[in-house]
Amino acid sequence: MNPILIFTAGYGEGHNTAAYNIAAAVKYLGGIAEVVDPFQKTYGRLNDLVKKLYIFSINRTPGLWQLFYNTLDQNPKSVDRLSEFKGLARVIKKLIDDKKPGAVISSYPVYNFLLRDIFGEGKSPFHQATMVTDSISINALWYLGYSDRYYVPNPDTAKIFYNQQIPEEKVTVSGFPVQLDFALPDRRSNPADLHVNQPEILYVVNSGKQKAPAVVSRLLKKSDWKITVAVGRDKGLRDHISRIVEPWSERARVLGWTKEMPQLLMTHHLL
């Protein structure tokens, strides 16, 4: 059985989340899947630095990031410069030569252009698919790169692809890939188990971290609410918010990075 290679990139958790959830579903169905980040394999520590700059930019200088994003969107010829990533192309070519995949799924749009440069447009020896991880506001990179099929999260996103002359038969409205916990009945939590007389609120802190302590303080003012705050890998923010909620520890808790997000979503009334 030929494996499915799933290419991701660490620029935002959406790409990784989609990739790993697709891999889990393939394995559950009896297939073979492997998630690879070619940027990380090629550039290592430099890629780690760029990822940190990306996170800093979207949190601290969102206007600058928006300018960069719009430049890519409005100047599609900028993708021609991807041919300069020769090391990245070599890593991708070797991965494909070694793994001999039956399909390659990209959750990051750049790889479609590199695959075109390596094999020629529409001439790759495997099925080529794209999992679009953006919704409604779609950068042109997603539909300018060749793919045998595009999987999009909702009908509104599909319309954007149709408007760009992508044939309808190449676009599948799949929803966003989520953990198996949501799909398999034996893993789901029963919403009836929730006690509606004490609403449970889940606050997931992504961007906007500077406002998070004030938001938590406001939430704590509702004395009949139970609060769970998930702050990810930011230890400093976790320590800060832990100090805020300490007097209300009987109805408030703070989590760092967690693999239990499906359970948290299914056991709270409001995200």
Side-chain angles (χ1 to χ4, degrees):
M1 180 184 295
N2 293 95
I4 295 176
L5 275 183
I6 305 170
F7 288 164
T8 184
Y11 303 106
E13 284 302 314
H15 307 295
N16 286 334
T17 298
Y20 283 101
N21 290 340
I22 291 171
V26 170
K27 293 173 184 177
Y28 177 78
L29 294 172
I32 302 171
E34 182 177 346
V35 177
V36 183
D37 183 341
F39 274 96
Q40 189 64 36
K41 287 182 72 70
T42 305
Y43 301 111
R45 290 183 179 178
L46 176 61
N47 191 59
D48 291 335
L49 175 61
V50 174
K51 286 191 292 186
K52 289 178 181 179
L53 290 173
Y54 165 79
I55 296 298
F56 178 87
S57 177
I58 62 174
N59 279 311
R60 300 297 179 89
T61 58
L64 184 62
W65 170 250
Q66 185 68 42
L67 177 63
F68 175 70
Y69 184 90
N70 290 343
T71 298
L72 290 176
D73 184 49
Q74 297 165 12
N75 297 278
K77 288 187 177 180
S78 61
V79 300
D80 293 336
R81 300 201 62 180
L82 291 173
S83 60
E84 298 175 8
F85 289 83
K86 298 185 185 302
L88 185 60
R90 283 195 297 270
V91 166
I92 290 174
K93 179 67 162 57
K94 187 174 189 307
L95 277 168
I96 291 170
D97 288 344
D98 291 345
K99 304 292 183 180
K100 296 179 173 55
V104 172
I105 302 174
S106 299
S107 66
Y108 191 67
V110 165
Y111 300 122
N112 287 341
F113 299 97
L114 292 166
L115 290 170
R116 175 203 63 191
D117 291 345
I118 295 169
F119 297 102
E121 188 164 301
K123 297 179 181 179
S124 60
F126 46 80
H127 181 79
Q128 190 175 332
T130 302
M131 181 66 236
V132 179
T133 58
D134 288 340
S135 176
I136 301 174
S137 177
I138 301 295
N139 193 288
L141 293 180
W142 284 110
Y143 51 76
L144 288 176
Y146 176 83
S147 188
D148 295 314
R149 184 167 293 275
Y150 301 88
Y151 295 93
V152 299
N154 49 52
D156 288 330
T157 303
K159 289 178 183 177
I160 294 174
F161 280 73
Y162 303 151
N163 292 338
Q164 296 299 324
Q165 310 305 312
I166 304 296
E168 290 191 26
E169 61 269 19
K170 295 184 68 171
V171 181
T172 298
V173 179
S174 62
F176 188 89
V178 297
Q179 288 96 327
L180 287 169
D181 303 67
F182 294 109
L184 304 179
D186 59 325
R187 298 194 193 180
R188 289 184 65 95
S189 297
N190 185 355
D193 295 338
L194 297 175
H195 302 291
V196 293
N197 60 326
Q198 187 174 31
E200 299 197 30
I201 313 301
L202 174 61
Y203 175 28
V204 180
V205 184
N206 291 312
S207 57
K209 292 181 178 182
Q210 291 175 309
K211 298 180 180 179
V215 172
V216 171
S217 296
R218 289 286 298 275
L219 291 172
L220 288 169
K221 289 183 179 179
K222 296 288 187 178
S223 59
D224 57 337
W225 288 6
K226 292 185 70 175
I227 310 297
T228 301
V229 186
V231 301
R233 292 184 170 88
D234 192 327
K235 185 179 183 302
L237 181 63
R238 181 178 182 179
D239 291 344
H240 185 181
I241 293 180
S242 294
R243 289 192 292 272
I244 294 174
V245 307
E246 188 173 4
W248 294 273
S249 58
E250 75 284 353
R251 62 180 183 89
R253 59 174 175 159
V254 183
L255 304 176
W257 191 87
T258 175
K259 292 183 179 180
E260 303 302 317
M261 192 56 67
Q263 288 73 29
L264 289 170
L265 289 171
M266 288 187 282
T267 55
H268 286 73
H269 295 91
L270 180 66
L271 170 65

